[in-house]
């Protein structure tokens, strides 16, 4: 009954790991194997990441399955990723038999209580007659509230007769199934709110647009708004794919992984338009009270959370802009926009200068840029958190139908590989690349075997600095000497692991070998992994370095930074490369 109900909702794929706490559910999946695909993983955390990525990439419900106790606990990290990035995911877990609950039975973890914070809907099935209705409500809630729904089903309920009501002598007739609702509905603001927003924007001066993942699919309309207002467009990292990176309107990202022009822009405006974003890093936004803000947001609760908002517009970005644009008057003064177009030309030249193939060890910027050059125009790049996100943000360009996914607000390590596996399942004909650091890959590297087992042609490119690079630089900026971040010897051979799984595995430590290795991997018909030894002393510098950051960076050197000579040399090389390009 459970699996049939999932099929009624159009669920085609379930990611999970079996266990004796979900034997009944696994039997349901076996009986319907011709209509629903069960993807066997090595770790439940990966299953939750896969469900999240599936939802991000397709807009459809992602479903993950775990056994009772520790199996369900393992889902938590991936489910928080879905929660914080507002993705519809259904988690199904097992539970001990109802007759032993409350007795401290083996692996008795009340997962409905455990998941109370992560979920928008969370129930334990205690009566077989509940099941169809609870599945419907769980899925509707996951879609409507853009979050995690959780159902936990005790063992004895899983194998009970469908529709059984054990507490009634005669079970009443079951009501007919309710058809799944069409999702998602399109929402637009009220006309009076749109007219008020148009008046504010027409009267505004120097304007910027901040576009997030909620503006996905509305890129053409965002560019039209930028043209009318003469306003540069900042993209959040999760919203990187909203506009092409060579768009004449964008100044790229904002924050530690962003660009200097975007940092300058937020200090140089009196009007801000926020489109489909709840950008959390408020210290990178304009000071409250300095700007007038128009925010387009589908979820009313999120309006004004980051910035005081004079005109909240509750609605879809596309529907809102289609209604708003005809109400606006085009600005004839293009000085503001042209100033930041010039700044972006300078920024792009500086980034290109760091992509030198002549550096030894290999510059991570060169690895990212070469991957960018060789990948197809409809490639999907998945990424981990850490320094790898900096290189992807700045050197992986959105063009054509490219997409880009990472853990946004949770910013967890490890999802890059599970994301790639799920998205390749969803889009078997697209090129899918996991761009990972060695730290993130190592956490869930067993899932590369999953990709091989399902013959998924994913490509994994490891930016291997043999360390937790982001932590290293954070320690230095905070003024601490380096501690606990370098893995040392012996170094793991991830290419050998790939070959052991039956895939293509290549190890690279020289820049002149990098191009041939990436071309071979991208052309390989099956899964492939390229493990690239990059310069471990390359700093992921912010777009603009503050005085305090520079001061603490210097103090860390003076307090015994063990690699200060190598780091100083790398920084000097970066400066020389920029001067050469200039």
């Amino acid at each position: 009954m459970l699996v049939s109900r999932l099929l009624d909702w159009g669920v085609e794929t379930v990611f999970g790991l079996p266990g004796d706490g979900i034997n009944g559910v696994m039997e349901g999946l076996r009986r319907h194997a011709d209509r629903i695909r069960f993807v066997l993983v090595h770790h439940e955390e990966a299953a939750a990441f896969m469900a999240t990525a599936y939802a991000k990439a397709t807009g459809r419900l992602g479903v993950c399955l775990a056994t009772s106790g520790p199996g369900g606990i393992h889902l938590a990290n991936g489910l928080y990723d879905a929660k914080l990035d507002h993705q519809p995911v259904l988690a199904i877990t097992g539970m001990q038999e109802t007759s032993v609950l409350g007795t401290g039975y083996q692996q008795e973890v009340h997962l409905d209580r455990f998941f109370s914070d992560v979920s928008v809907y969370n129930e334990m099935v205690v009566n077989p007659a509940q099941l169809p209705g609870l599945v419907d409500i769980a899925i509707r809630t996951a879609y409507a509230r853009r979050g995690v729904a959780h159902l936990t089903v005790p063992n004895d309920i899983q194998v009970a007769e469908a529709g059984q009501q054990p507490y009634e002598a005669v079970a009443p007739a079951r009501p007919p199934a309710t058809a799944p609702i069409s999702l998602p509905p399109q929402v637009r603001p009220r006309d009076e709110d749109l007219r008020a927003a148009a008046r504010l924007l027409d009267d505004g001066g120097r304007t910027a647009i901040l576009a997030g993942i909620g503006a996905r699919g509305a890129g053409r309309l965002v560019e039209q708004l930028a043209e009318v207002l003469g306003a540069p467009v900042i993209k959040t990292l999760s919203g990187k794919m909203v506009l092409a990176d060579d768009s004449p309107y964008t100044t790229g990202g904002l924050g530690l992984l962003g660009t200097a022009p975007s940092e300058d822009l937020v200090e140089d405006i009196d009007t801000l338009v926020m489109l489909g974003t709840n950008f959390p890093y408020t210290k990178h936004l304009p000071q409250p009270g300095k700007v007038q803000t128009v925010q387009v947001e589908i979820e009313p609760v999120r309006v004004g959370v980051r910035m005081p908002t004079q005109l909240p517009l509750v609605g879809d970005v596309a529907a809102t802009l289609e209604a708003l644009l005809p109400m606006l008057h085009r600005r004839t003064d293009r000085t503001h926009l042209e100033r930041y177009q010039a700044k972006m030309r300078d920024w792009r030249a500086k980034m290109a200068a760091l992509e030198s193939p002549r550096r030894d060890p290999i510059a991570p910027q060169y690895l990212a840029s070469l991957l960018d050059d060789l990948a197809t125009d409809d490639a999907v790049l998945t990424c981990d958190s850490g320094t790898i996100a900096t290189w992807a943000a700045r050197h992986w360009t959105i063009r054509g139908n490219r997409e880009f996914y990472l853990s946004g607000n949770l910013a967890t390590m490890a999802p890059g590989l599970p994301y790639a596996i799920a998205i390749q399942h969803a889009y078997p004909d697209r090129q899918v690349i996991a761009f990972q650091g060695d730290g993130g890959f190592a956490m869930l590297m067993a899932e590369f075997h999953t990709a091989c087992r399902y013959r998924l042609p994913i490509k994994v490119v490891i930016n291997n600095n043999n360390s937790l690079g982001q932590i290293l630089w954070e320690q230095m900026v905070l003024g601490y000497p380096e501690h606990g971040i370098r893995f040392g010897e012996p170094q793991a051979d991830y290419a050998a692991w790939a070959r052991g799984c039956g895939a293509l595995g290549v190890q690279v430590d020289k820049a002149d070998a990098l191009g041939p290795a990436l071309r071979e991997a991208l052309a390989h018909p099956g899964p492939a992994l390229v493990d690239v030894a990059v310069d471990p002393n390359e700093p992921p510098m912010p777009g603009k370095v503050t005085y305090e950051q520079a001061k603490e960076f210097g103090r860390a050197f003076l307090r015994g930074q063990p690699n200060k000579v190598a780091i100083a040399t790398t920084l000097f090389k970066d400066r020389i490369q920029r001067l050469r390009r200039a």
Side-chain angles (χ1 to χ4, degrees):
M1 177 60 68
L2 169 63
V3 177
S4 295
R5 208 61 166 186
L6 294 178
L7 287 165
D8 289 341
W9 278 92
V11 173
E12 300 173 345
T13 306
V14 175
F15 304 96
L17 187 64
D20 59 2
I22 50 171
N23 279 338
V25 180
M26 292 302 300
E27 174 62 10
L29 288 167
R30 184 193 68 79
R31 293 181 185 182
H32 293 84
D34 59 330
R35 299 174 61 200
I36 195 166
R37 174 174 51 193
F38 175 71
V39 177
L40 173 64
V41 303
H42 284 278
H43 195 290
E44 291 92 350
E45 181 180 0
F49 280 136
M50 290 177 191
T52 301
Y54 189 91
K56 286 184 176 184
T58 66
R60 302 195 299 271
L61 184 77
V63 182
C64 55
L65 173 66
T67 190
S68 54
I73 292 170
H74 283 163
L75 292 175
N77 198 35
L79 295 183
Y80 271 100
D81 186 32
K83 173 187 175 175
L84 295 185
D85 282 354
H86 312 293
Q87 297 302 318
V89 167
L90 173 64
I92 302 169
T93 62
M95 179 69 74
Q96 275 66 26
E97 294 182 2
T98 55
S99 60
V100 301
L101 292 179
T103 68
Y105 199 74
Q106 184 187 35
Q107 294 188 339
E108 183 183 343
V109 176
H110 288 260
L111 294 171
D112 51 331
R113 302 174 197 169
F114 181 77
F115 287 148
S116 62
D117 179 62
V118 77
S119 56
V120 295
Y121 185 82
N122 180 26
E123 291 290 340
M124 180 167 66
V125 180
V126 294
N127 185 321
Q130 284 179 289
L131 187 65
L134 263 56
V135 172
D136 287 353
I137 297 169
I139 295 176
R140 281 195 175 91
T141 306
Y143 273 126
R145 298 182 61 187
R146 304 291 298 176
V148 175
H150 169 237
L151 292 175
T152 187
V153 189
N155 282 345
D156 52 328
I157 303 297
Q158 291 177 34
V159 297
E161 183 180 347
Q164 178 184 355
Q165 297 204 54
Y167 308 114
E168 296 185 13
V170 179
R174 193 184 330 148
T178 301
I181 58 177
S182 179
L183 294 163
Q186 195 171 59
V187 180
R188 55 157 285 180
R190 301 179 303 172
D191 286 342
E192 54 264 43
D193 293 334
L194 289 166
R195 286 192 289 269
R199 288 192 296 270
L200 186 151
L201 294 174
D202 280 341
D203 294 340
R206 298 183 307 278
T207 302
I209 299 167
L210 178 62
I213 190 61
R216 179 185 180 187
R220 176 183 59 84
L221 294 166
V222 175
E223 286 195 319
Q224 289 179 21
L225 181 66
E227 170 62 24
V228 169
L229 298 178
V233 181
I234 301 169
K235 301 188 294 181
T236 68
L237 187 54
S238 293
K240 183 175 173 64
M241 66 184 107
V242 171
L243 290 185
D245 280 307
D246 62 357
S247 167
Y249 300 101
T250 186
T251 59
L254 184 65
L256 294 178
L257 279 61
T259 70
S262 291
E263 293 289 324
D264 290 340
L265 180 59
V266 296
E267 299 173 0
D268 185 32
I269 57 173
D270 52 38
T271 305
L272 177 66
V273 183
M274 299 176 69
L275 301 177
T277 179
N278 196 28
F279 187 78
Y281 308 107
T282 53
K283 69 179 181 179
H284 294 284
L285 293 174
Q287 294 179 4
K290 181 185 174 185
V291 300
Q292 295 275 92
T293 302
V294 174
Q295 182 174 2
V296 181
E297 173 59 62
I298 190 65
E299 176 54 66
V301 174
R302 294 198 291 266
V303 171
V305 170
R306 309 302 181 193
M307 289 284 296
T309 303
Q310 284 67 40
L311 271 170
L313 297 176
V314 177
D316 300 301
V317 171
T320 301
L321 293 185
E322 285 175 348
L324 177 64
L325 280 164
M327 301 179 183
L328 297 170
H329 297 89
R330 184 182 185 276
R331 294 181 186 171
T332 57
D333 184 355
R334 319 306 285 177
T335 305
H336 177 62
L337 176 60
E338 290 169 356
R339 180 186 305 122
Y340 285 92
Q341 288 173 332
K343 285 177 177 282
M344 274 307 290
R345 286 192 292 271
D346 180 62
W347 172 264
R348 291 182 180 115
K350 289 178 178 178
M351 291 301 100
L354 299 176
E355 299 167 355
S356 172
R358 295 186 293 274
R359 291 169 57 185
D360 184 26
I362 298 170
Q365 297 96 326
Y366 175 59
L367 168 60
S369 67
L370 191 56
L371 182 62
D372 176 66
D373 289 341
L374 297 176
T376 62
D377 282 355
D378 71 341
V380 181
L381 189 80
T382 67
C383 187
D384 269 352
S385 298
T387 58
I388 193 74
T390 301
W391 314 134
R394 294 178 177 168
H395 303 276
W396 170 261
T397 57
I398 297 299
R399 63 174 185 264
N401 295 316
R402 282 188 173 182
E403 297 181 19
F404 174 72
Y405 297 98
L406 80 172
S407 174
N409 287 315
L410 186 61
T412 182
M413 293 175 67
L417 177 58
Y419 270 30
I421 290 171
I423 293 171
Q424 192 75 84
H425 270 292
Y427 300 114
D429 297 326
R430 292 184 70 173
Q431 186 180 75
V432 181
I433 305 166
F435 187 42
Q436 298 189 268
D438 53 305
F441 177 78
M443 287 182 171
L444 290 173
M445 60 186 285
E447 302 308 335
F448 189 79
H449 179 255
T450 301
C452 295
R453 197 170 65 249
Y454 287 97
R455 296 179 174 83
L456 298 175
I458 67 166
K459 315 304 175 189
V460 177
V461 178
I462 301 177
N463 183 88
N464 192 340
N465 54 20
N466 198 35
S467 67
L468 299 173
Q470 189 71 33
I471 308 302
L472 183 154
W473 298 105
E474 287 172 349
Q475 287 180 356
M476 292 179 66
V477 167
L478 291 171
Y480 303 137
E482 175 187 314
H483 177 70
I485 44 75
R486 297 192 188 264
F487 293 125
E489 299 293 339
Q491 292 193 32
D493 188 344
Y494 298 116
W497 164 242
R499 293 191 295 272
C501 293
L504 174 68
V506 182
Q507 198 170 46
V508 178
D509 61 5
K510 296 296 181 184
D512 58 0
L514 185 55
L518 289 178
R519 289 185 181 90
E520 181 184 11
L522 293 173
H524 186 69
L529 181 149
V530 181
D531 182 8
V532 184
V534 299
D535 188 349
N537 299 306
E538 181 68 31
M541 301 298 283
K544 287 183 70 174
V545 180
T546 67
Y547 171 74
E548 286 299 320
Q549 288 171 328
K551 183 174 68 174
E552 295 303 337
F553 188 88
R555 284 180 178 174
F557 266 51
L558 297 176
R559 288 168 59 182
Q561 165 56 243
N563 294 281
K564 56 189 175 184
V565 173
I567 292 170
T569 301
T570 298
L571 290 170
F572 177 73
K573 288 179 180 177
D574 283 356
R575 181 62 180 163
I576 291 297
Q577 291 295 336
R578 292 188 184 189
L579 289 172
R580 281 178 178 169
R581 183 60 62 101

